[in-house]
């Protein structure tokens, strides 16, 4: 199985700040990488697919980048509603596998 | 609007089985694989398997091959997952998803 290593595990940032979350795959996943946001008690919501494509309705302050084994999610101008857990997921190879998650809190 | 409506929370005894449902609406049910994902409290997401509702073909993660059984009913646009021989390790929230959309999750609690 492809291992997804996500960092940091937790992150504290101020309103208006820019934050970056990283995801490292154990092998090349050819940009088959998605990012999800999960708020407490809710189901995950797709933010980014194919590494850098913004899902419909997702604010433009979210962006994804990367290739090969290294990927990142950037949130510009952090808003209070962005407090969540973020997961990366590879869907290049079966089984699909997820990163361990990054808990984003407000400072 | 795409909706995946899952059944309600379950409290089940160790050693028993449970079957949870996921009713799809707002899209053509047979056009997308239905995936199932497990999330233990305060933990990450684990893929269980997926079913092709068009023909019933299934693929399971290795560790769930003897735990989960996925089925789908095209006539009612509903996917099902049965979990057997339940233990405390199966206490979790279970989601159905087509990746772009997720059900609200079903919390399964295994307790005597």
């Amino acid at each position: 199985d492809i291992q997804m290593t996500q960092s940091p595990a937790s992150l504290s940032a101020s309103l208006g700040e820019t934050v970056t979350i990283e995801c490292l795959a154990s092998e090349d996943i050819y940009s088959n990488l998605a990012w999800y946001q999960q708020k407490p008690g809710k189901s995950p919501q797709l933010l980014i697919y194919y590494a850098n494509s913004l899902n419909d309705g997702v604010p433009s302050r979210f962006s994804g980048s990367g290739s090969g084994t290294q990927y990142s999610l950037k949130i510009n101008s952090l808003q209070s509603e962005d407090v969540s857990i973020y997961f990366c997921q590879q869907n290049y190879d079966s089984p699909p596998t997820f990163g361990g998650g990054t808990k984003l809190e407000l400072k | 609007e795409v909706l995946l409506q899952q059944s309600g929370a379950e409290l089940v005894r160790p050693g028993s089985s449970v079957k949870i449902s996921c009713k799809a609406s707002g899209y053509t049910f047979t056009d997308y694989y239905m995936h199932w994902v497990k999330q233990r409290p305060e933990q990450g997401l684990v893929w269980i398997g997926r079913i092709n509702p068009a023909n019933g073909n299934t693929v399971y993660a290795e560790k769930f091959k003897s735990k989960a059984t996925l089925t789908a009913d095209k006539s009612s646009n509903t996917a099902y997952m049965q979990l057997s021989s339940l233990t405390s390790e199966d206490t979790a929230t279970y989601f159905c998803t087509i990746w772009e959309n997720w059900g609200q999750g079903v919390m399964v609690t295994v307790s005597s």
Side-chain angles (χ1 to χ4, degrees):
Chain A
D1 298 1
I2 295 176
Q3 304 301 313
M4 304 300 292
T5 304
Q6 197 173 330
S7 61
S10 63
L11 181 56
S12 183
S14 302
L15 291 174
E17 200 174 322
T18 294
V19 301
T20 300
I21 299 167
E22 308 280 347
C23 197
L24 178 68
S26 60
E27 60 184 84
D28 196 328
I29 56 172
Y30 300 94
S31 297
N32 289 277
L33 190 283
W35 290 97
Y36 296 88
Q37 177 192 58
Q38 185 177 31
K39 297 189 177 183
K42 300 293 186 182
S43 54
Q45 299 297 308
L46 179 66
L47 296 174
I48 302 279
Y49 60 96
Y50 207 60
N52 59 16
S53 296
L54 202 64
N55 194 26
D56 290 345
V58 175
S60 59
R61 63 179 181 275
F62 291 90
S63 63
S65 64
S67 63
T69 61
Q70 297 183 295
Y71 299 87
S72 61
L73 172 70
K74 186 164 78 170
I75 310 172
N76 288 316
S77 189
L78 189 69
Q79 305 294 304
S80 57
E81 60 264 32
D82 299 336
V83 170
S84 300
I85 299 178
Y86 294 84
F87 294 97
C88 61
Q89 178 215 24
Q90 70 80 20
N91 46 35
Y92 170 69
D93 193 25
S94 187
T97 46
F98 295 87
T102 295
K103 188 173 186 178
L104 175 58
E105 298 174 320
L106 282 178
K107 193 180 291 183
Chain B
E1 180 194 8
V2 173
L3 283 177
L4 299 176
Q5 183 65 40
Q6 296 188 242
S7 47
E10 300 273 4
L11 173 60
V12 294
R13 300 289 184 233
S16 68
S17 297
V18 68
K19 190 172 186 177
I20 60 181
S21 66
C22 171
K23 183 170 177 59
S25 60
Y27 72 100
T28 302
F29 183 58
T30 51
D31 280 355
Y32 294 86
Y33 292 159
M34 185 68 74
H35 302 265
W36 292 84
V37 173
K38 176 182 181 180
Q39 186 172 39
R40 299 196 69 193
E42 303 299 319
Q43 293 192 21
L45 302 164
V46 180
W47 183 76
I48 296 169
R50 57 95 167 150
I51 185 166
N52 180 348
N55 56 21
N57 286 351
T58 53
V59 175
Y60 296 93
E62 191 65 37
K63 66 181 288 186
F64 291 99
K65 282 184 176 177
S66 57
K67 172 64 65 177
T69 302
L70 306 182
T71 56
D73 178 1
K74 289 186 286 187
S75 68
S76 63
N77 289 350
T78 303
Y80 300 91
M81 178 173 68
Q82 179 164 317
L83 300 169
S84 61
S85 303
L86 291 165
T87 72
S88 59
E89 296 295 303
D90 299 313
T91 293
T93 297
Y94 294 88
F95 296 99
C96 60
T97 177
I98 57 173
W99 298 138
E100 290 179 63
N101 302 90
W102 293 61
Q104 80 275 25
V106 174
M107 177 166 283
V108 175
T109 304
V110 183
S111 174
S112 55

